[in-house]
Amino acid sequence: MKDSHSEITICPMTEADLDEILAIENDSFPLPWNRDHFLDELKSAHAFPQVALDPEDMVMGYICPRLLFDEGHILNVAVNRAFRGRGVGRLMVERVLRDCREGGADTVSLEVRPSNLAAISLYRQLGFVETGRRRNYYENGEDALLMEYTFDNDEVDNAV
């Protein structure tokens, strides 16, 4: 999928992308996933990890969603620091919402650090609402906000 306003391509993640993904992961998170985590996502029947590529096929970001029955879940998402603030994260989340809806999802959920104000703002702009909190979820004891996007059946064709 090429976004009409940019040269960003969203496509399935491959094993060949993992070195770039791991560099972004290690730069983005205090307790990063390792190669095996991503390989598990690539092998899972319920996962459909994706990458955002620039015109030279450099990985700008990645997202690891799953779809099980009528529920989508975003497990991991990050954007290369050099490309943050350019709409890469938005494009990836919008694509996942579209893919989940087409796959029969009624909802898509995720966890996010309360301190990640940029991500929370993006998710709220896209229609996610806070539904709860997981206490001491992260390695540093920080809680996780639970957020959920619910598809409105009357507006499915207009959603993302």
Side-chain angles (χ1 to χ4, degrees), residues 112-120 133 138 140 142-145:
V112 62
R113 292 174 186 269
S115 61
N116 192 344
L117 300 178
I120 292 167
R133 185 177 283 260
Y138 293 103
N140 64 352
E142 188 174 6
D143 293 350
L145 295 181

Side-chain angles (χ1 to χ4, degrees), residues 1-14:
M1 166 212 144
K2 289 240 185 203
D3 177 67
S4 61
H5 302 292
S6 69
E7 290 296 318
I8 299 170
T9 302
I10 308 293
C11 60
M13 181 186 292
T14 68

Side-chain angles (χ1 to χ4, degrees), residues 20-29 59-62 78-80:
E20 289 178 273
I21 288 167
L22 287 167
I24 297 167
E25 178 78 4
N26 287 316
D27 184 51
S28 299
F29 301 109
V59 175
M60 301 171 77
Y62 57 88
V79 174
N80 181 317

Side-chain angles (χ1 to χ4, degrees), residues 99-111:
D99 290 349
C100 284
R101 184 60 186 152
E102 289 172 3
D106 293 328
T107 62
V108 176
S109 62
L110 55 81
E111 292 89 11

